[in-house]
Amino acid sequence: MPRSSNPSAAKGGPVTLTQVARRAGVSAQTVSNAINSPDMLRPETLERVRRAIDEMGYRPSRAAQTLRTRSSRLIGYGIQPALSSSPVLDRFLHALSQAADEAGYRILLFASPSGGPALDGYEELLGQHEVDGFVLSGTERGDPRQAWLTKRGVPFVGFGRMWSGRQIGDWVDVDGASGTDAAVEHLVARGHRKIAFLGWERGVSGAGDDRAEGWQRAMRRHGLSTRGRRGQSVNDTDAARMAVKPLLDAGATAVIAASDMLALGCYQMLRERGALPGRDVSVVGFDDSPAAELLSPTLTSLAQPLEEVGRECVRLLLDRIASPDAPPERLLLEPSLVVRDSTAAAPHGAAR
Amino acid sequence: MPRSSNPSAAKGGPVTLTQVARRAGVSAQTVSNAINSPDMLRPETLERVRRAIDEMGYRPSRAAQTLRTRSSRLIGYGIQPALSSSPVLDRFLHALSQAADEAGYRILLFASPSGGPALDGYEELLGQHEVDGFVLSGTERGDPRQAWLTKRGVPFVGFGRMWSGRQIGDWVDVDGASGTDAAVEHLVARGHRKIAFLGWERGVSGAGDDRAEGWQRAMRRHGLSTRGRRGQSVNDTDAARMAVKPLLDAGATAVIAASDMLALGCYQMLRERGALPGRDVSVVGFDDSPAAELLSPTLTSLAQPLEEVGRECVRLLLDRIASPDAPPERLLLEPSLVVRDSTAAAPHGAAR
DNA sequence: TCTCAGCATTCGAACGTTCCAAAGACATTA
DNA sequence: TAATGTCTTTGGAACGTTCGAATGCTGAGA
């Protein structure tokens, strides 16, 4: 017999444990056991209970479970207004939500006001015992949240490491340096030697410095000079356009940008000079934003493994909830280079 | 005495209603009343109870409230992978979350699989009585969710109207036609006559057809011809680049695009022809995505009032929860034209 | 036959809140 | 004084689940 489509709406309120128990001819506790520790039951009884559950379309009430077990199976996430306008956050949120679902948890959103993360929202969710833990993102320099949560013994995981001071708590992050390093490898393999880096100003963004660092170390490893090959700009196509100019003037045959937005600025300057990205100068972006695929020529970019980040955030958080005193766990994941049309072999004669 | 910073962590479990009652020298019920219907208490008693609540840092347990009142004060939102890659959704989510917070509700996320909205997630949340209602977005032609939810009597509000068949349930939407109409007005006031529209293919997107419609009616109102002024493209800068070419060849001095992405394609084609957006040809985008401000020249674009949409979604949903049988309410909000550098007076001599 | 495990199941209580009905306090009126 | 009414407060039960301890059942060993 197929499960009836919506028994609970048919009459009265929702189906309860006790009703299922009556139907299966067992006690309520046994039905509970059938769900939570099935191997405690005699196979025959289990089968009978399961049939009753199925026929009646029973679903345990989350509220009652939460009340009794003191665990809501909810993860709090403070959503910030997209000040950084990172194309990453909403994809991350989907990945996070999916990973949580698979673990039997859900994401509970609350609005974090703009202008620095306030702690009020966290306090309120905790006070009402609504969540079992938090996932933080958009962590800034001197972010107070980690210390605050640690002090109260609240489980949390950050997406993003601490960029200043000592590390606190668990986190998952993407290894930006390793990404730009791989981009250099990719370009070197295609004959490029004069590889420039276009990033943000030094010191304002930990992630930005990290990405520059990877480029630098890979260049050094190949014995290539980085002098005069590093440009700085704010995250704005026009500023990027200007910042990339001296790099091109110095003969760079490839540019690695710290974001797709910056890469777009490179595109504009190249167009102005009558040069074609890919054919004349190779360009690599960072984040693999939706635009990367839509630009023409399509943009080679470093994709953050957001699904994996989401999965690992959930895993680390659940581990932390299970054992609050275990040593902190930190995970650095590799971005992957998505090669598209904006990178190709170095123009002949420019190789050295 | 200031409220102690974290009483519940100090010792034992969280503070309960009964503990507060004991301290204030009243019954538990009275404390409950102090919170839910304060004017039932004698002012003197109320004051005493309030002090106790404050001193002990009491917060009601959401789980117990939910169990007793059968209302979780949670709103479900099925988050979809950003297939449309609309820059709108994460800003909407923040607005929604904020509006919900202000009404004492919260947003509960669940992952909706890609490739069409499946109903499983909705079923599961309902079965466990986790949410009081849903907010839908990314509604497509023939979306089954509205009918399904209506059949089970579940409150919901859509962000986006039904584009095919008859309207079902409450919704809030942005009046795209009114937006493009306003864009035409803006351009006409600056002397433009040959105003083209670059949209998506007819019939694939209700919102797209709507935006075209507004352009068309405004043109007609001003006695301007639309023949040969409408271009079609998929949402891709390269396709847009090609699609806008014949429009420019036909002498258009302004282009209204159905999305910022399409507008970016216009920029590219203009650059190729040595023309400058704003000075030579005016361009208007749609959605006011973060990129609009970062392009150079900055892009005039139609901004959706997302904060208002979020607020109204919550309001309509709560109304629906309060009175399930009230007639449906539908709201069409106006986008606002954000004027930047890509629109200016028509070049002299091209005015007619 | 009796005792002792081991297993499967059940019983009673508890989680923290709100609903409902009833009790108490107090002033007003007959 | 007793009856009536209004305003404030209280007691007991219930929401649906899981915890901990206790029960009944079965067969092995003495």
Side-chain angles (χ1 to χ4, degrees), chain A residues 31-53:
Chain A
V31 179
S32 174
N33 290 336
I35 295 169
N36 300 310
S37 22
D39 41 353
M40 186 185 275
L41 274 65
R42 214 172 42 201
E44 177 189 306
T45 317
L46 181 58
E47 180 51 34
R48 193 153 34 103
V49 173
R50 283 208 166 132
R51 190 169 8 237
I53 288 178

Side-chain angles (χ1 to χ4, degrees), chain B residues 259-280:
Chain B
S259 78
D260 286 353
M261 188 63 75
L262 293 175
L264 184 57
C266 294
Y267 268 48
Q268 292 189 358
M269 178 50 76
L270 288 173
R271 278 265 159 71
E272 278 176 40
R273 299 172 153 229
L276 189 66
R279 193 195 59 193
D280 304 310

Side-chain angles (χ1 to χ4, degrees), chain A residues 257-333:
Chain A
S259 77
D260 285 353
M261 187 63 75
L262 293 175
L264 184 57
C266 294
Y267 268 47
Q268 292 189 358
M269 179 50 77
L270 288 173
R271 279 265 159 70
E272 279 176 42
R273 300 173 152 229
L276 188 67
R279 193 194 58 193
D280 305 309
V281 174
S282 289
V283 180
V284 178
F286 209 113
D287 274 350
D288 193 32
S289 55
E293 201 158 19
L294 302 177
L295 286 172
S296 102
T298 56
L299 176 67
T300 295
S301 189
L302 286 154
Q304 304 200 34
L306 294 177
E307 283 69 29
E308 201 182 349
V309 172
R311 243 191 339 265
E312 293 296 344
C313 278
V314 170
R315 186 176 70 78
L316 260 52
L317 183 58
L318 298 191
D319 284 358
R320 174 64 49 212
I321 290 170
S323 44
D325 299 320
E329 201 169 341
R330 282 142 197 173
L331 233 52
L332 220 40
L333 305 177

Side-chain angles (χ1 to χ4, degrees), chain A residues 17 29 32 36 58 60-61 65 68:
Chain A
L17 206 53
Q29 183 63 55
S32 174
N36 300 310
Y58 168 74
S61 148
Q65 291 181 314
R68 185 68 249 229

Side-chain angles (χ1 to χ4, degrees), chain B residues 5-342:
Chain B
S5 61
N6 187 22
S8 67
K11 71 160 114 169
V15 185
T16 73
L17 204 54
T18 315
Q19 291 169 19
V20 175
R22 201 158 18 228
R23 173 134 177 181
V26 294
S27 75
Q29 182 61 56
T30 300
V31 179
S32 174
N33 289 337
I35 295 169
N36 299 311
S37 23
D39 41 353
M40 186 186 273
L41 274 65
R42 215 171 43 202
E44 177 189 306
T45 317
L46 181 58
E47 181 50 34
R48 194 153 34 102
V49 173
R50 284 210 165 129
R51 192 172 3 241
I53 288 177
D54 243 36
E55 286 171 6
M56 305 180 78
Y58 167 74
R59 299 253 172 221
S61 148
R62 257 321 179 28
Q65 291 182 313
T66 300
L67 182 58
R68 184 69 249 226
T69 65
R70 303 174 152 287
S71 156
S72 62
R73 308 202 129 228
L74 252 36
I75 297 171
Y77 181 86
I79 185 171
Q80 294 165 317
L83 51 128
S84 60
S85 79
S86 163
V88 164
L89 281 185
D90 60 336
R91 282 165 60 203
F92 170 64
L93 207 47
H94 181 263
L96 190 66
S97 184
Q98 183 141 36
D101 278 15
E102 278 158 18
Y105 276 68
R106 300 229 128 89
I107 302 295
L108 186 66
L109 282 189
F110 63 101
S112 214
S114 59
L119 298 171
D120 302 10
Y122 294 87
E123 170 118 51
E124 205 179 327
L125 247 61
L126 276 179
Q128 308 190 141
H129 323 108
E130 291 195 75
V131 300
D132 292 351
F134 290 96
V135 170
L136 312 180
S137 81
T139 54
E140 299 168 358
R141 280 181 191 279
D143 199 317
R145 295 178 293 176
Q146 285 89 341
W148 191 88
L149 291 170
T150 302
K151 201 175 68 184
R152 344 222 130 184
V154 182
F156 71 92
V157 171
F159 172 17
R161 59 203 112 159
M162 309 286 297
W163 287 110
S164 62
R166 71 181 209 298
Q167 301 296 327
I168 304 179
D170 308 274
W171 49 251
V172 178
D173 205 352
V174 174
D175 192 345
S178 156
T180 45
D181 188 322
V184 171
E185 289 295 337
H186 167 75
L187 293 167
V188 165
R190 274 158 188 72
H192 291 271
R193 293 288 176 271
K194 300 180 177 173
I195 304 171
F197 179 82
L198 178 60
W200 301 303
E201 292 166 72
R202 267 174 232 256
V204 293
S205 150
D209 295 349
D210 185 41
R211 292 171 191 186
E213 160 63 20
W215 161 76
Q216 187 140 23
R217 81 176 179 214
M219 292 294 278
R220 193 169 301 152
R221 194 171 57 238
H222 284 282
L224 302 172
S225 166
T226 57
R227 283 185 55 113
R229 301 233 180 278
R230 177 164 181 179
Q232 301 197 109
S233 160
V234 293
N235 210 23
D236 166 324
T237 53
D238 203 36
R241 208 177 109 258
M242 296 313 296
V244 80
K245 191 164 185 290
L247 305 177
L248 298 174
D249 288 342
T253 64
V255 181
I256 298 173
S259 78
D260 286 353
M261 188 63 75
L262 293 175
L264 184 57
C266 294
Y267 268 48
Q268 292 189 358
M269 178 50 76
L270 288 173
R271 278 265 159 71
E272 278 176 40
R273 299 172 153 229
L276 189 66
R279 193 195 59 193
D280 304 310
V281 174
S282 289
V283 180
V284 178
F286 209 113
D287 273 351
D288 193 32
S289 54
E293 202 158 20
L294 302 177
L295 287 173
S296 100
T298 56
L299 174 68
T300 295
S301 189
L302 286 155
Q304 304 200 34
L306 294 177
E307 283 69 28
E308 201 181 349
V309 173
R311 244 191 339 267
E312 294 296 343
C313 278
V314 170
R315 187 175 69 77
L316 260 50
L317 183 58
L318 298 192
D319 284 358
R320 174 64 48 213
I321 290 169
S323 44
D325 297 321
E329 201 169 342
R330 283 141 197 175
L331 233 53
L332 219 40
L333 305 176
E334 303 279 314
S336 60
L337 187 71
V338 181
V339 178
R340 298 204 182 83
D341 300 335
S342 68

